[in-house]
Amino acid sequence: MHNAADGARHRLEVFVLPGIGEVRAGDDLAAIIAAAAGPAASRLADGDILAVTSKIVSKAEGRQVAASDREQAIADETVRVVATRAHPGGVTRIVENRQGLVMAAAGVDASNVEHGTVLLLPVDPDASARSLCAALRAATGLHLGVLITDTVGRPWRDGQTDIAIGAAGVAVLDDLRGTADAHGRRLDVTVAAVADEIAGATDLIKGKTSGNPVAVLRGLGHLVGAIDAGDRGARRLLRDSANDMFRVGSAEAYAEGYTAGLAAAAELAEPAAASAAASAGSDRAGTPAPAAQAGQLTVGAPSERADGLDVTSREVPAAEGAVGAPTESDNGPDVPSRGTASP
């Protein structure tokens, strides 16, 4: 039987808070948002989730810095380079930044800021969300949740969407493991990234140039809870390195694997060459061993190394030369040149 509670659970409402205006360093962002919510916060209700664009949080926190060289600002915010690609307009760098987020340009933003400056992400987006959420609850008397959002691209998909980079008073994951699907089958891996889904939904009406940096999503009040200073917030959405199957870009992974393969082949070739030379010297009447012919090294059958790397047999002509700088292949991506010195 359908009831009112079920109907509310299956209905969402998303709207912007107009009149935010330009935010500057030192501004009281909670007071600005509360004012936009109308007299006595008339536009808000218990259980509402506010999605706040990171740009205005960064501006209020004074994260706008002089940077005539945006590339240097990106480098300063970078902890780890994931992938780099050159293109006619410059170089795109996908990196892990100080906040632990993997995104293009470390999240450094040069749009909608004064000329000669760039905008960095909040130092600690979860801490910013907690402070903002507590202030808004105090100002409105309502049980609200806050997400700080930013725009990112995604692997395997064109276009950009918003994700949650900071969260307070709202669950960021909905763990469905242990429950059953519509056919009674147990769910073992399903954990919905609800904070990212909310961020994407609210971005549909915030837009990028409309001047509406705060949106409200209503209808998911069951996700709104206590503000816990010990909660990891949106950091719970970051996958740790041990479980990250795509820690580097495809070209970088290929280059790393190729380099490791060459090193493994060289290690296996050294004892083979020494054995072949000894055999040729002791058998004066015989012919040289195959490994000594034509200046080639023969790498034997697959061998399991101590580090777990298996190397398949192949012949490495000495004429190929030493390992050098990357070269462009006619049939695909740039790959490092390969080869080995003559035995």
Side-chain angles (χ1 to χ4, degrees):
M1 177 182 292
H2 179 81
N3 58 45
D6 290 336
R9 181 69 177 268
H10 291 85
R11 178 185 176 88
L12 294 178
E13 182 180 358
V14 184
F15 56 93
V16 298
L17 290 182
I20 297 295
E22 181 64 24
V23 174
R24 294 178 173 80
D27 282 353
D28 186 339
L29 193 55
I32 292 173
I33 294 174
S42 57
R43 292 190 176 97
L44 300 178
D46 276 330
D48 283 352
I49 299 172
L50 282 71
V52 182
T53 303
S54 64
K55 189 183 294 286
I56 64 170
V57 178
S58 292
K59 286 183 176 180
E61 294 180 355
R63 295 285 283 164
Q64 188 166 318
V65 298
S68 55
D69 184 357
R70 180 170 178 258
E71 293 301 311
Q72 184 59 51
I74 295 171
D76 291 342
E77 292 298 303
T78 296
V79 171
R80 176 176 64 89
V81 176
V82 175
T84 301
R85 295 291 181 276
H87 53 83
V91 177
T92 296
R93 282 186 276 175
I94 308 299
V95 305
E96 178 182 342
N97 63 19
R98 296 177 184 274
Q99 292 79 8
L101 299 161
V102 175
M103 52 176 49
V108 175
D109 195 349
S111 64
N112 294 315
V113 294
E114 295 178 9
H115 181 71
T117 65
V118 295
L119 196 63
L120 311 181
L121 291 177
V123 174
D124 185 343
D126 280 330
S128 298
R130 288 193 297 269
S131 177
L132 184 57
C133 188
L136 284 171
R137 288 187 177 189
T140 64
L142 298 172
H143 196 54
L144 306 172
V146 169
L147 297 178
I148 295 176
T149 68
D150 198 54
T151 304
V152 298
R154 302 149 302 154
W156 312 297
R157 307 284 288 182
D158 276 336
Q160 295 81 35
T161 187
D162 267 25
I163 62 168
I165 66 169
V170 57
V172 297
L173 295 169
D174 191 8
D175 192 344
L176 301 178
R177 293 174 295 184
T179 64
D181 67 9
H183 298 280
R185 289 188 292 264
R186 175 186 170 90
L187 299 176
D188 292 319
V189 298
T190 304
V191 182
V194 290
D196 285 346
E197 292 174 325
I198 293 169
T202 55
D203 184 54
L204 290 173
I205 61 168
K206 283 191 298 182
K208 305 302 180 188
T209 60
S210 62
N212 294 310
V214 180
V216 180
L217 183 139
R218 181 172 295 164
L220 295 178
H222 65 286
L223 297 177
V224 178
I227 302 173
D228 182 3
D231 185 19
R232 293 170 57 196
R235 287 195 68 85
R236 294 188 62 193
L237 296 165
L238 302 180
R239 179 164 288 160
D240 59 63
S241 59
N243 293 308
D244 187 355
M245 297 176 65
F246 309 100
R247 192 159 173 79
V248 294
S250 57
E252 288 74 16
Y254 181 90
E256 287 182 9
Y258 198 90
T259 300
L262 287 178
E267 288 184 15
L268 291 172
E270 288 176 4
S275 176
S279 175
S282 62
D283 187 6
R284 295 183 176 86
T287 58
Q293 294 178 358
Q296 292 183 334
L297 300 179
T298 300
V299 179
S303 170
E304 186 172 349
R305 289 156 38 95
D307 59 6
L309 177 63
D310 292 342
V311 181
T312 306
S313 63
R314 65 182 180 87
E315 289 191 343
V316 186
E320 288 183 347
V323 177
T327 60
E328 184 171 352
S329 168
D330 290 336
N331 60 356
D334 292 349
V335 297
S337 59
R338 63 181 177 84
T340 184
S342 176

